[in-house]
Amino acid sequence: MKSNAICAIATAKGSSALGVIRISGDNLDSLLSHIFTKKLSDRRAVLTNIKVNNVIYDNCIVILYCAPRSYTGEDVIEIITHGNPVIMHSIIELLCKNGVSNAAPGEFTERAFLNNKMSLEKAEAVSDLISASDIQAVRAAQNSLCGKFYDEVNEVLSCIVSLRAELETIINFPEDDDTPDLIIKKITEQVERITLLLDNILINSKEGRSLNHKRTYAFIGKPNSGKSSIVNCLLREDASIVTSIAGTTRDSIEYELSINNKIVTIVDTAGIRATQDKVEIEGIERSIKAVLKADKIFYVVDVSRGLDKDDHAILKNYNITNYDIVFNKIDLEGLEPRVIRKSPSEIYLSAINNIGVDLIRDRVEEDFIQVEKVEDLYLARSRHVDHLIDAKECINRCPSHISDCKYDILAEDMRNAHIALSSILGQNPTEELLNEIFMSFCIGK
Ligand SMILES: Nc1nc2c(ncn2[C@@H]2O[C@H](COP(=O)(O)OP(=O)(O)OP(=O)(O)O)[C@@H](O)[C@H]2O)c(=O)[nH]1
Ligand SMILES: [Mg+2]
């Protein structure tokens, strides 16, 4: 596939010791050799200046990977620069002046997929590996990337292909058949094997999907209840502004919090109350969106005021169902920090004194999934599980088709199971699906 050259900074934003710029396209050596003071050579690290019109952009390590032995299957150049964003952006500008365009998110991996360097679920695993929120998710993504998921899906696919071939023979040449009993026995055994393999993949994929999900916890409640104070305690820094003025937080603000080496998202939100203030109304609407996005709500109440009818109205009107009530400001009532487990559970703490805030960390930790045998998992996505369920539904219908000797209907269900499983690996993907998958990547990957 002929394609224009693309480039992107592949390292994170900001200053660092080193920065990496990635370029992919056809005939990169002839397109760009004039900007390097040394000749590049395939798969060799070359220490060279990037120099044009006597301006030295940087002294860097440059590696050329000639097509097709590269990540994308095209020529790829990786430039390792000093990690100053000014240097990296000036090199990107230089590349763009020389016929290279800025890469879209995930475009390198999309090209790798389109050039048959990797199947679709492996391309997805690249993105999942980068965003994995704990070590188990990292291991599971690595399993997918090494082809464990691909191999297992492929094994079922080959069983389905051979059964489909047999069914075609039975349907087209009924006179050549073995006795009906023998056919039924043979086909039943094959369907049983497919069912067994599929069940196993489905269990592992469902577990893998839950590992892939970074959980979100939103702090919701009336103004002044202490949401921002609790969030700041959890973050152990003054990230959110805290004042005694009700309505201080005007927007939903997301933070990443690491609890026991697992990253979760916590959201500080604007206090909910009836107001005429336009900015506050907008903030409250964002709080409602945060409710919808969250896996769980910590509903914060000033314990000295108690859970009143306004709180009940908020819980009801915003359809908040999965929540703990956090009674903050226990110092005002002389209460002890504690958790009362019931439905909903209650957590008593004092953010201002940082007493009992760890109880929230403990509650979050209770939600962590403990996976016994991570070596069996792959970091699956909902898309994969949906296709596996589609395939499973087709296979589940097979035993009754066999006993009714309805081989043409059986063949049709096998065909549909085949399509569902092929879709996981990205055989015949739609453009929309590819856009959806690759747009969620970071730029430079
Ligand atoms: N006594 C006491 N005061 C607290 C405690 N936690 C927070 N406060 C005070 O309560 C006031 C409101 O705290 P915030 O954290 O800004 O409350 P909020 O829920 O984020 O308020 P909005 O952003 O307006 O919705 C501040 O004056 C805090 O110092 C606590 O545990 N005890
Ligand atoms: Mg606040």
Side-chain angles (χ1 to χ4, degrees):
M1 174 185 292
K2 284 257 168 215
S3 49
N4 64 319
I6 51 167
C7 65
I9 297 171
T11 35
K13 280 200 181 102
S15 303
S16 52
L18 297 172
V20 175
I21 291 171
R22 215 175 202 189
I23 313 163
S24 179
D26 291 327
N27 301 319
L28 288 188
D29 199 24
S30 55
L31 184 69
L32 296 172
S33 58
H34 62 285
I35 71 169
F36 303 112
T37 50
K38 282 204 194 131
K39 180 151 181 47
L40 304 185
S41 121
D42 187 24
R43 304 173 82 81
R44 287 267 162 82
V46 177
L47 177 63
T48 170
N49 281 331
I50 293 183
K51 186 173 167 188
V52 176
N53 295 336
N54 279 333
V55 176
I56 296 180
Y57 286 72
D58 199 13
N59 184 247
C60 25
I61 301 278
V62 181
I63 307 170
L64 166 69
Y65 301 88
C66 289
R69 289 204 309 153
S70 71
Y71 182 71
T72 59
E74 306 166 342
D75 284 349
V76 167
I77 290 178
E78 279 176 5
I79 305 174
I80 304 168
T81 67
H82 293 95
N84 179 336
V86 178
I87 295 175
M88 289 188 271
H89 284 292
S90 72
I91 294 173
I92 292 283
E93 240 172 68
L94 174 67
L95 293 171
C96 290
K97 277 188 197 142
N98 283 275
V100 184
S101 36
N102 281 302
E107 198 172 353
F108 290 90
T109 309
E110 185 175 17
R111 288 183 178 204
F113 167 71
L114 294 172
N115 291 328
N116 294 322
K117 294 295 285 189
M118 63 176 76
S119 50
L120 195 56
E121 91 300 334
K122 278 191 192 161
E124 289 168 309
V126 171
S127 167
D128 294 341
L129 180 63
I130 292 168
S131 59
S133 59
D134 69 5
I135 193 67
Q136 290 191 318
V138 166
R139 297 270 183 275
Q142 276 162 342
N143 281 346
S144 299
L145 208 50
C146 294
K148 185 170 165 53
F149 190 28
Y150 179 90
D151 290 347
E152 293 190 12
V153 172
N154 226 8
E155 190 182 354
V156 188
L157 272 174
S158 15
C159 294
I160 290 179
V161 168
S162 71
L163 181 52
R164 285 187 68 193
E166 252 172 76
L167 287 170
E168 287 308 311
T169 319
I170 295 167
I171 294 164
N172 293 323
F173 308 102
E175 65 282 3
D176 295 350
D177 291 343
D178 296 326
T179 61
D181 282 355
L182 265 179
I183 294 175
I184 289 176
K185 186 169 177 288
K186 212 160 120 193
I187 297 178
T188 304
E189 279 171 7
Q190 280 169 286
V191 169
E192 279 171 3
R193 174 156 171 72
I194 291 169
T195 308
L196 199 74
L197 291 172
L198 211 45
D199 280 344
N200 197 31
I201 301 177
L202 200 51
I203 290 168
N204 288 341
S205 306
K206 279 186 179 165
E207 247 185 294
R209 179 178 58 176
S210 47
L211 273 183
N212 207 1
H213 176 67
K214 194 191 286 175
R215 289 181 67 86
T216 300
Y217 297 83
F219 288 80
I220 304 282
K222 287 194 295 193
N224 248 347
S225 51
K227 301 175 292 299
S228 301
S229 304
I230 297 171
V231 165
N232 286 347
C233 276
L234 286 167
L235 296 169
R236 300 196 169 113
E237 57 180 283
D238 291 336
S240 285
I241 301 166
V242 169
T243 74
S244 55
I245 304 161
T248 300
T249 305
R250 297 297 185 103
D251 201 353
S252 293
I253 312 168
E254 293 190 6
Y255 303 97
E256 296 219 314
L257 177 67
S258 174
I259 296 184
N260 204 359
N261 290 328
K262 186 168 175 92
I263 298 166
V264 297
T265 303
I266 56 171
V267 192
D268 184 17
T269 66
I272 300 175
R273 65 171 170 183
T275 174
Q276 299 302 318
D277 184 320
K278 277 193 180 154
V279 182
E280 205 177 340
I281 291 171
E282 175 61 30
I284 292 171
E285 275 174 19
R286 291 181 189 205
S287 301
I288 296 159
K289 279 196 193 129
V291 171
L292 293 175
K293 262 177 67 182
D295 294 286
K296 180 171 176 174
I297 305 295
F298 286 114
Y299 188 83
V300 183
V301 174
D302 177 339
V303 75
S304 65
R305 293 168 179 261
L307 189 73
D308 63 19
K309 65 174 189 350
D310 292 337
D311 294 304
H312 286 296
I314 293 171
L315 290 165
K316 184 165 175 271
N317 294 343
Y318 302 125
N319 202 13
I320 299 173
T321 47
N322 185 16
Y323 65 101
D324 283 358
I325 302 176
V326 178
F327 286 106
N328 185 31
K329 310 193 186 182
I330 54 171
D331 52 294
L332 297 179
E333 300 288 301
L335 299 171
E336 288 298 309
R338 62 177 176 152
V339 175
I340 301 178
R341 286 173 195 282
K342 55 181 189 173
S343 189
S345 288
E346 296 175 357
I347 304 169
Y348 290 78
L349 55 86
S350 167
I352 210 164
N353 298 312
N354 198 357
I355 291 173
V357 178
D358 277 347
L359 297 172
I360 294 200
R361 292 175 166 268
D362 296 345
R363 290 291 288 167
V364 171
E365 222 176 307
E366 283 172 24
D367 292 336
F368 292 173
I369 306 151
Q370 287 310 324
V371 180
E372 296 288 314
K373 288 176 72 186
V374 77
E375 63 273 18
D376 285 346
L377 293 190
Y378 3 84
L379 211 53
R381 296 179 169 204
S382 290
R383 182 183 84 77
H384 306 146
V385 175
D386 290 346
H387 287 311
L388 287 165
I389 290 171
D390 286 348
K392 187 71 206 320
E393 277 171 2
C394 296
I395 303 297
N396 282 349
R397 289 193 288 266
C398 292
S400 78
H401 301 326
I402 298 172
S403 54
D404 297 343
C405 295
K406 289 185 175 160
Y407 298 125
D408 46 349
I409 305 179
L410 178 62
E412 185 58 18
D413 266 330
M414 280 294 159
R415 192 179 81 88
N416 288 330
H418 189 161
I419 293 171
L421 294 179
S422 308
S423 306
I424 295 175
L425 310 183
Q427 292 158 7
N428 302 319
T430 62
E431 204 172 309
E432 294 82 52
L433 175 68
L434 293 186
N435 281 343
E436 192 189 315
I437 290 173
F438 290 108
M439 282 311 285
S440 66
F441 273 58
C442 40
I443 291 185
K445 194 65 218 178

